[in-house]
Amino acid sequence: MSSQSFLSILTGSFSTPCADNPTVAMIEAGYRAAGIDARYINCDVKPEALGDAVSGAVAMEWAGFNCSLPHKVAVIDHLDELAESAKIIGAVNCVSIRDGKLIGDNTDGKGFLASLKEVADPSGKRVLLLGAGGAARAIAVELGLAGAAHITVVNRDPKKAETIAALVRDNTACDAAAQGWEGGVRVPDDTQIVINATSIGLGDAEAMPPLALETLRKEFVVADVIPNPPKTKLLRQAKERGCTTLDGLGMLVNQGVIGVELWLGRTLDAGVMQKTLQEIFGASE
Ligand code: NDP
């Protein structure tokens, strides 16, 4: 008789109900390809039940879990420790459980950074960041920690842009400024990386952040956080102008890879995970 346990390693996500969570298919494909007997389970957790859900995960010896909105800030009250960037960002989307101890991290920005580093090192670069929501905040902090020289945060609500710029200036060696979004944003010539971190383009291949396209130079890296559809109008237009483009699938894949490294100390095959997402969302760039 085999001495192997009948219990799989448990990981998953605490979120609100959604029709489809592509992360489940992506991570489980990664587990299967690596021969890891683990599951990634999406759980519907109401805000008032978050504490009980966290205790349940500890009691059932889960290795870790992701949490999406609205739990990213509230979960912090239930954790023992925070990683550096999660502390600065003030939000956690990935919790590891080690010897019953809960450690919170934020993999949104780390996933983006890992994807960006496949085409450009952000160290010393000037960045134009569109949007000032949760994704923009995490990306700005990670870019600052990775040594970017300057970030201009552009948002309709300039107060939100200034909050992120101040967070970067106060917690990293990177300089940052805020800019209100009026009409088509002109990208300064000395920019090297342009990032759309707004929700414009999600579920709409023709939606386009208001941007003066003629200011995009072929030397720029243009990145989009939108995973679905991956070929956003911004990336198609940027590619036509000769820019290096980066879609939102890589950010999602790398978040999964980083999460499993934190939980199990194993590195999943990013290619297998990317292929799974492409089957769900359609081909990328
Ligand atoms: P938030 O709701 O926190 O922020 C949305 C941002 O988009 C805000 O800055 C908002 O501006 C801006 N925005 C929305 N509509 C417009 C518009 N019409 N014109 C100008 N600005 C607009 O969302 P998140 O930051 O959490 O997520 C943003 C996107 O990132 C989502 O589409 C999500 O799918 C994607 N994402 C992708 C990930 C990946 O792994 N690929 C991971 C996480 C997120 P304002 O403040 O003025 O309202």
Side-chain angles (χ1 to χ4, degrees), residues 16-181:
T16 42
C18 57
D20 185 22
N21 184 344
T23 303
V24 174
M26 176 184 83
I27 293 187
E28 292 217 323
Y31 284 157
R32 274 195 304 277
I36 299 173
D37 182 14
R39 298 298 316 275
Y40 185 93
I41 302 159
N42 196 35
C43 301
D44 170 14
V45 176
K46 307 253 176 326
E48 61 276 18
L50 181 62
D52 288 341
V54 172
S55 302
V58 175
M60 289 184 282
E61 299 188 1
W62 282 39
F65 55 89
N66 290 121
C67 35
S68 53
L69 289 173
H71 304 312
K72 287 184 174 185
V73 176
V75 77
I76 292 174
D77 285 344
H78 305 284
L79 306 180
D80 299 301
E81 267 177 40
L82 288 182
E84 184 191 15
S85 61
K87 215 178 282 174
I88 301 171
I89 296 162
V92 161
N93 73 338
C94 184
V95 175
S96 310
I97 307 175
R98 286 183 214 130
D99 302 323
K101 212 167 169 198
L102 295 137
I103 302 139
D105 215 315
N106 191 309
T107 58
D108 275 331
K110 287 190 172 72
F112 176 82
L113 202 66
S115 183
L116 177 67
K117 280 184 172 169
E118 289 166 18
V119 298
D121 181 353
S123 175
K125 302 284 193 316
R126 295 183 72 85
V127 178
L128 186 85
L129 179 63
L130 303 172
R137 190 180 176 97
I139 288 170
V141 168
E142 293 294 350
L143 286 171
L145 292 174
H150 187 275
I151 304 174
T152 302
V153 186
V154 182
N155 200 52
R156 285 185 302 198
D157 176 352
K159 282 198 222 94
K160 283 169 71 180
E162 178 48 35
T163 301
I164 294 182
L167 200 66
V168 169
R169 286 194 304 266
D170 294 348
N171 292 282
T172 78
C174 176
D175 195 10
Q179 186 180 314
W181 199 334

Side-chain angles (χ1 to χ4, degrees), residues 227 229-231 235 239 247-250 274 277-278 281-285:
K231 284 184 196 168
L235 294 187
K239 198 164 193 177
D247 67 42
L249 288 185
Q274 173 107 6
L277 286 184
Q278 280 167 350
F281 294 149
S284 54
E285 288 293 293

Side-chain angles (χ1 to χ4, degrees), residues 69 72 108 131-136 155-157 160 181 197-200 202 210 224-227 248-249 251-253 255:
L69 289 173
K72 287 184 174 185
D108 275 331
N155 200 52
R156 285 185 302 198
D157 176 352
K160 283 169 71 180
W181 199 334
T198 73
S199 42
I200 301 171
L202 187 66
D224 207 320
V225 299
I226 300 296
L249 288 185
M251 176 177 175
L252 202 52
V253 168
Q255 284 201 59

